[in-house]
Amino acid sequence: MSIVMKNIDTLAAVPPGPLAGPAMRDIPLIHDATLEIRYGKIGWFGPAADAPSRLEDEQTLDLRGATVIPGLIDAHTHVPFVGNRADEFARRIAGESYLSIMQAGGGIRVTTQAVREASEDQLVESNFHVLARMATRGVTTIECKSGYGLAPEHELKQLRAIAEMNKELPIELVPTYLGAHAVPAEYEGRPDEYIDRISAPELLRQIADEGLARFCDVFCDAGAFTVEQARRVLTRAAEVGLRPKLHADELEQIGASRLAGELHAVSADHLEKIDDAGIAALRDAGTIGVLLPGTSFFLGIEHCDARRLIDAGLPVALATDYNPGSCMIESLPLVMNIACCQMHMLPTEVLAATTANAAAAIGEQHRIGAIQRGYDADVVVLAAPTLNEWFYTPGRQLVAAIAKRGELIWIPPSATEQAPPET
Ligand code: NIG
Ligand code: FE
């Protein structure tokens, strides 16, 4: 089974990640291009004038007026959760900080209460449509974290809900265990005991053996867990094959990104408060820096200095951090626009950050995130003739179609505000 996409105005031929420095912005843009999808994989692609004649006989799609990019990858979300914290949102607008609300008993613990009361089926029911909406925005792979159960049975429930949704959805979910997200109320003042409970070898082994998570993450920051506690959890998790990730340097600088480097974490995420030693540690360890400008936008705090990281040669990814407390933005394209307009990242850099580098942030750069022969045919068709024209209209839905492993799904024109290109 093959599909040939013809007359593509712009094909953003993103190479496999990780991409650093100038390689992030020098993405090959092929005009008047052809792209072949063969048995779910990317086949031939290049300028139409060079296309092999065998492609003439295949089922073709005329994509005049469209840009084609690799499927977007949201490498950091906190799906699944239930409930909302709109009251905290209003309190923050009125002047309270995220940290002070958390220290006064609000924040993550409020969502924990709601998640503990929900069944696995309820988690699936409430989060399935969010993930489906994310897909209509061009996202073909989503990293999903536990971290609101904060007790073994409820963390497992969240991870099982992710597995269930992964079976039902046409896109791919990548699960991460985040038991060390916050100290639950019943462990107040006893964080080390809590750490031992959620990083007990039997629990970690069960998570790994049942394939319920591929990564282990820790919120290592002021008001959350210390570097020492994070090291303990991540070292134990690595012993059963759960690769380390870290929430690092978001609220305060406590050395979390240096720990990420020391442990050769797959990614270190947030980084608003990263210092030069942290940048060097990540770069030397091959750790991807995942920036979450939707969160700094939503919290009204300063963005991470993306240019400093890129100029230092660190491969940078971008993700939503979609969660009920610090970023209720489910649209990765909107976060990409924030990165352009407020972090001064170029459209090509932003694309590299949400495809090739986002794939590297979930350890899948050998298979997805690029327009490369033999890679999974995860692609997005945009109703805009150039990449710049897509970025030029923040908030507009211009995704006309997505393909996951070659399975094409057209997004209804009512949602795109524009008819899809002729087929
Ligand atoms: O990534 N920083 C820690 N965790 C989330 C916030 C979670 C919440 O407030 O519910 C984040 O920003
Ligand atoms: Fe997060």
Side-chain angles (χ1 to χ4, degrees), residues 12 14-19 24 27 69-76 137-143 288-294 310 315-321 330-340 343 345-362 364-365 368-371 378-380 382 387 390-391 404:
V14 179
L19 304 174
M24 279 186 74
I27 301 298
I69 59 174
L72 301 175
I73 298 168
D74 194 340
H76 183 140
R137 303 285 168 151
V139 179
T140 50
T141 304
I142 303 179
E143 188 260 10
I288 308 295
V290 180
L291 310 190
L292 309 164
I310 293 170
V316 161
L318 286 162
T320 59
D321 193 23
E330 60 187 38
S331 165
L332 185 55
L334 178 56
V335 168
M336 294 164 77
N337 280 119
I338 296 172
C340 256
M343 292 171 119
M345 287 177 68
L346 296 165
T348 46
E349 289 175 328
V350 169
L351 185 66
T354 46
T355 55
N357 287 355
I362 53 168
E364 295 293 338
Q365 66 274 21
I368 54 174
I371 300 294
D378 291 6
V379 298
V380 174
L382 301 167
L387 202 57
W390 181 43
F391 279 89
K404 181 69 186 172

Side-chain angles (χ1 to χ4, degrees), residues 76 78 145 181 247 270 292 321 323:
H76 183 140
H78 291 263
K145 299 179 198 291
H181 194 196
H247 276 71
H270 280 290
L292 309 164
D321 193 23
N323 77 77

Side-chain angles (χ1 to χ4, degrees), residues 30-256:
I30 307 173
H31 298 290
D32 193 12
T34 297
L35 171 76
E36 178 196 25
I37 295 176
R38 252 179 114 74
Y39 299 104
K41 304 281 183 197
I42 292 174
W44 190 90
F45 68 92
D50 300 344
S53 55
R54 66 178 170 82
L55 298 187
E56 295 299 324
D57 308 330
E58 305 289 351
Q59 180 200 342
T60 61
L61 292 176
D62 184 341
L63 294 187
R64 208 174 292 282
T67 293
V68 172
I69 59 174
L72 301 175
I73 298 168
D74 194 340
H76 183 140
T77 81
H78 291 263
V79 176
F81 60 84
V82 285
N84 78 65
R85 309 208 313 257
D87 54 332
E88 288 181 13
F89 175 72
R91 279 166 63 188
R92 280 194 299 93
I93 304 288
E96 283 184 71
S97 73
Y98 178 82
L99 194 56
S100 66
I101 291 173
M102 180 155 90
Q103 282 162 345
I108 293 169
R109 281 185 186 174
V110 174
T111 304
T112 293
Q113 180 78 20
V115 166
R116 285 183 178 177
E117 284 165 14
S119 66
E120 183 187 319
D121 285 351
Q122 284 166 332
L123 286 180
V124 169
E125 206 178 302
S126 304
N127 289 274
F128 185 86
H129 297 289
V130 177
L131 293 168
R133 276 202 302 273
M134 289 170 137
T136 67
R137 303 285 168 151
V139 179
T140 50
T141 304
I142 303 179
E143 188 260 10
C144 292
K145 299 179 198 291
S146 67
Y148 288 117
L150 304 184
E153 83 247 49
H154 297 294
E155 287 290 313
L156 289 169
K157 176 177 74 184
Q158 277 195 287
L159 293 172
R160 291 195 175 111
I162 297 168
E164 184 58 32
M165 292 188 287
N166 190 33
K167 274 193 241 148
E168 304 291 324
L169 284 161
I171 58 163
E172 175 181 1
L173 306 182
V174 175
T176 295
Y177 173 56
L178 176 60
H181 194 196
V183 178
E186 66 275 17
Y187 278 88
E188 180 66 51
R190 298 182 292 137
D192 287 308
E193 280 176 51
Y194 176 67
I195 284 289
D196 285 338
R197 182 167 190 228
I198 51 87
S199 62
E202 324 75 76
L203 176 62
L204 295 175
R205 189 152 302 116
Q206 181 183 1
I207 290 169
D209 288 354
E210 291 183 24
L212 288 171
R214 306 233 293 267
F215 302 99
C216 182
D217 193 347
V218 176
F219 186 11
C220 179
D221 214 316
F225 295 100
T226 65
V227 167
E228 198 34 63
Q229 289 162 339
R231 184 186 285 114
R232 214 176 331 144
V233 175
L234 295 175
T235 306
R236 287 178 188 165
E239 279 163 17
V240 297
L242 299 173
R243 300 177 67 191
K245 278 180 167 278
L246 268 171
H247 276 71
D249 303 347
E250 175 188 7
L251 306 171
E252 280 177 28
Q253 173 50 245
I254 62 165

